[in-house]
Amino acid sequence: MIEAVLADNPDYIPAHCTRGEILAALNLRWDAIREYKRIIELDPSEHDLLHRYASKKLIDEYEFLILRHPTNYRIHFELGHAYKDLGIAYSDRTYFSKARDQFKKAIEKDGSKIEYHLELGETFLHLNNADAALFEMERCLQIEPESIGAHCALGEIYLQAGDRELAQKQFTAIKRILAAQQRAAEEEAQREKQAAQDAAKPSRAKK
């Protein structure tokens, strides 16, 4: 029945949800994970309850696999993403304390991911914890000094704290980064143009 429904409508989320449940019950966990990932792909807005459900099921499946294969880095890496997805789903529904806990778990899996720190920092802002938000944004800049998102968030934190000088430093950094990106894009376009012109020139016959 499920296969017939998906054959008629491949993007029908409830059918993917049911198939994921069946596959998990049959201990076909990677196939179940594929189904839950498909739900998240089909519902990128992250507002639907099924998206949150799929994110939670992903975590359940990954945690089970980690117990079976504790040294498999791929599973740990994907579990971090699953925690982040669930955190975003909670945040979108203003469950900020629950979102904070999920983002912390994501960072425990891979602290080098700037997106995890950004999400956690923004969640701390929603929870009126400016000091913790500041720490996370500074951590972002340690990982990626040219992060526009981190500079922007820091600027907003300093503005809220009444420190316009430090806020302006962050906004100036954003302008510098954007200008550098624009120059790099123009230089790349010029190189591509020159390469195309060189390729169009008739080759000289060897004497």
Side-chain angles (χ1 to χ4, degrees):
M1 179 64 74
I2 296 299
E3 301 304 325
V5 171
L6 288 173
D8 183 59
N9 185 358
D11 295 339
Y12 186 53
I13 291 179
H16 284 287
C17 186
T18 300
R19 187 158 71 175
E21 288 287 332
I22 293 172
L23 290 167
L26 293 172
N27 210 31
L28 300 173
R29 298 189 178 274
W30 283 112
D31 292 323
I33 284 171
R34 185 184 66 245
E35 293 301 319
Y36 296 130
K37 282 184 175 181
R38 183 60 181 149
I39 293 170
I40 294 172
E41 291 172 358
L42 291 169
D43 180 30
S45 68
E46 294 155 346
H47 286 86
D48 194 278
L49 286 173
L50 280 176
H51 179 106
R52 190 173 65 174
Y53 173 81
S55 296
K56 182 64 174 66
K57 291 299 293 184
L58 269 177
I59 290 170
D60 291 344
E61 297 304 321
Y62 283 134
E63 288 183 336
F64 177 87
L65 288 170
I66 284 175
L67 290 175
R68 297 284 298 275
H69 311 283
T71 61
N72 189 318
Y73 178 76
R74 173 192 171 191
I75 301 173
H76 285 273
F77 176 82
E78 294 196 6
L79 178 57
H81 277 278
Y83 282 134
K84 183 208 71 174
D85 286 341
L86 184 56
I88 291 173
Y90 280 135
S91 182
D92 283 344
R93 299 179 64 81
T94 69
Y95 299 150
F96 296 120
S97 293
K98 290 184 177 181
R100 173 201 58 205
D101 295 342
Q102 299 306 317
F103 295 136
K104 283 184 174 181
K105 289 178 181 179
I107 289 170
E108 287 174 4
K109 288 300 173 187
D110 189 350
S112 68
K113 291 289 183 183
I114 186 172
E115 61 193 283
Y116 300 168
H117 293 280
L118 278 172
E119 294 288 358
L120 180 57
E122 291 175 2
T123 301
F124 277 130
L125 284 178
H126 286 297
L127 293 169
N128 297 315
N129 190 339
D131 289 341
L134 184 66
F135 176 84
E136 291 303 325
M137 296 310 170
E138 289 178 341
R139 182 76 181 93
C140 288
L141 292 180
Q142 292 174 3
I143 298 169
E144 187 178 321
E146 303 292 272
S147 168
I148 291 177
H151 281 294
C152 184
L154 278 172
E156 292 177 3
I157 292 170
Y158 288 133
L159 276 179
Q160 291 178 13
D163 195 330
R164 298 184 64 85
E165 183 178 352
L166 284 178
Q168 187 56 49
K169 286 183 179 180
Q170 301 304 318
F171 299 138
T172 299
I174 292 172
K175 291 180 181 179
R176 173 183 57 76
I177 294 167
L178 289 173
Q181 291 177 348
Q182 180 65 28
R183 286 195 301 272
E186 291 173 353
E187 291 171 0
E188 179 62 23
Q190 185 59 38
R191 285 193 293 271
E192 291 179 356
K193 181 180 178 181
Q194 186 61 52
Q197 290 174 346
D198 292 343
K201 291 178 182 178
S203 59
R204 295 182 178 180
K206 292 184 179 180
K207 294 183 179 179

